[in-house]
Amino acid sequence: MTLPPALLQQGADPLPAWIAVIALAVLAAAGAYALRRAHSAAQRTAAWLRRLTEFQNALALTAPDLEDLAELAYQETARQFDCDAFLLGLFEGPAFRPLIWVRDGDQQDNVLLPASDDSPSWLTVVRQDGMPRRMHAGDPSSGPAIRPGDCLPDAASALMLPLRSGDRVIGALCLQSRRLHAFSAFDLEAATTMAAALSAALAQALTQADLRYRTIQLVLIKQVAEQLTHLQPVPELLTQVVRLIANSFAFEVVELFENVDAALLLRATSDDQAEPAVEVPFGQGIVGMAAQLRRTQALREDEGGLVREVAVPLRVEEH
């Protein structure tokens, strides 16, 4: 390497000058790298803001239906995040009801998951404190109650996000990956923002569903009251009532039993093909258990599955 003539002059010490030149070059390179990183981060943020705007517009244009909103959330998540499992659902009493559950691109059965204090999991933790989390398998800060593998058995990373309506946690969103440290701090912030927009849409859908349900109830009460004012034989009247209930709530079959001498006799059914005389002893089957225990009983398709049959005891109070 040949030094500049000025540095070869007598009395000049070339080493400090070269150190200064190298230091300036390093600082310039570091500044350029920092600018490139800042520019890349700005581009990423701008891209995410565009996607968030598109997502919010899509939410506004989607009908207030829980399943449709859940499908839209999954599609947007698949565009934004590299994850192996997606779980979105709502809390119902001590349980968590998935609206959509996808693992490795395949939709899973929406079975109920425990979400009570008696069954500690990431669901109970998110429900209790309402805080978003970025978790990694083996992270001691997660505690034994938070298990990223709840919806993906071999998960190594997870984003766990509450869905809030005001001060109430109405549901949760979980993204999971088999890769360790798959989600960045930016991913957590972006997913939290998306979850906030989704929460508002889901809360509106829940309000609409509750309003529709209450409207059906009022219409049904009015129709039943009208039937009761008609002078007609009791068997025909009861048959009309159970058919009204079946049609109003889209039930496949509605049956009405009467307690006669510790046995339940079928008095009316919405099924024209049903046997004319059916007797159920107290404590037998879902109907007998509801009568004996005097509280509503539900029969599910399987453990944690959807309810396929409900028996409700009817009480008559004497004044």
Side-chain angles (χ1 to χ4, degrees):
M1 177 182 295
T2 302
L3 297 179
L7 296 179
L8 296 175
Q9 294 177 2
Q10 185 175 3
D13 187 359
L15 186 57
W18 271 105
I19 291 177
V21 172
I22 293 173
L24 289 174
V26 170
L27 288 175
Y33 176 72
L35 287 175
R36 284 196 298 270
R37 287 196 60 182
H39 180 67
S40 177
Q43 286 183 321
R44 184 181 183 187
T45 301
W48 164 242
L49 290 176
R50 286 194 300 269
R51 289 181 179 176
L52 178 61
T53 301
E54 294 173 0
F55 178 58
Q56 291 173 326
N57 292 337
L59 287 175
L61 296 175
T62 302
D65 178 84
L66 295 175
E67 283 70 25
D68 290 346
L69 293 171
E71 179 67 27
L72 176 63
Y74 169 67
Q75 293 175 357
E76 177 57 34
T77 300
R79 292 175 54 196
Q80 177 66 22
F81 304 100
D82 181 15
C83 59
D84 299 308
F86 175 94
L87 177 62
L88 168 65
L90 301 172
F91 293 111
E92 292 184 354
F96 177 81
R97 177 170 67 90
L99 296 175
I100 184 170
W101 185 355
V102 179
R103 181 187 296 168
D104 296 324
D106 296 326
Q107 191 159 346
Q108 309 296 303
D109 294 333
N110 288 335
V111 298
L112 291 178
L113 300 176
S116 65
D117 294 340
D118 298 332
S119 303
S121 68
W122 68 270
L123 284 170
T124 58
V125 175
V126 170
R127 187 178 195 178
Q128 288 170 357
D129 64 14
M131 297 296 293
R133 282 177 167 79
R134 179 166 62 109
M135 302 305 304
H136 306 292
D139 184 355
S141 66
S142 65
I146 305 176
R147 300 188 299 272
D150 281 344
C151 61
L152 185 66
D154 52 349
S157 304
L159 294 179
M160 304 173 185
L161 310 162
L163 302 175
R164 306 179 63 97
S165 177
D167 295 332
R168 188 165 59 97
V169 178
I170 61 173
L173 169 64
C174 180
L175 312 179
Q176 296 185 340
S177 173
R178 293 184 177 89
R179 294 184 299 109
L180 190 61
H181 302 289
F183 304 109
S184 65
F186 178 85
D187 290 333
L188 177 62
E189 183 178 355
T192 302
T193 304
M194 188 183 78
L198 179 61
S199 297
L202 290 174
Q204 181 183 5
L206 286 171
T207 301
Q208 293 281 354
D210 183 65
L211 179 60
R212 287 194 299 269
Y213 181 78
R214 293 183 182 278
T215 301
I216 291 175
Q217 285 182 317
L218 293 175
V219 172
L220 178 60
I221 291 173
K222 177 177 179 295
Q223 291 176 338
V224 170
E226 291 175 351
Q227 293 295 331
L228 293 177
T229 59
H230 294 167
L231 296 178
Q232 56 185 321
V234 173
E236 295 181 8
L237 176 62
L238 295 180
T239 299
Q240 292 178 7
V241 169
V242 295
R243 286 175 176 172
L244 278 174
I245 297 174
N247 293 334
S248 298
F249 294 98
F251 293 151
E252 185 176 345
V253 177
V254 175
E255 296 176 332
L256 179 63
F257 291 82
E258 182 185 3
N259 177 15
V260 179
D261 297 330
L264 300 168
L265 301 181
L266 179 63
R267 293 303 192 194
T269 176
S270 62
D271 183 8
D272 296 331
Q273 307 300 322
E275 297 180 7
V278 175
E279 181 176 329
V280 178
F282 263 52
Q284 179 175 316
I286 185 174
V287 174
M289 291 299 297
Q292 185 179 55
L293 300 176
R294 297 189 176 185
R295 62 172 180 265
T296 301
Q297 300 294 303
L299 181 63
R300 302 184 182 277
E301 294 180 355
D302 49 45
E303 185 177 358
L306 299 177
V307 174
R308 64 181 180 88
E309 187 176 352
V310 175
V312 181
L314 302 178
R315 301 181 180 88
V316 177
E317 297 182 1
E318 297 181 358
H319 298 280

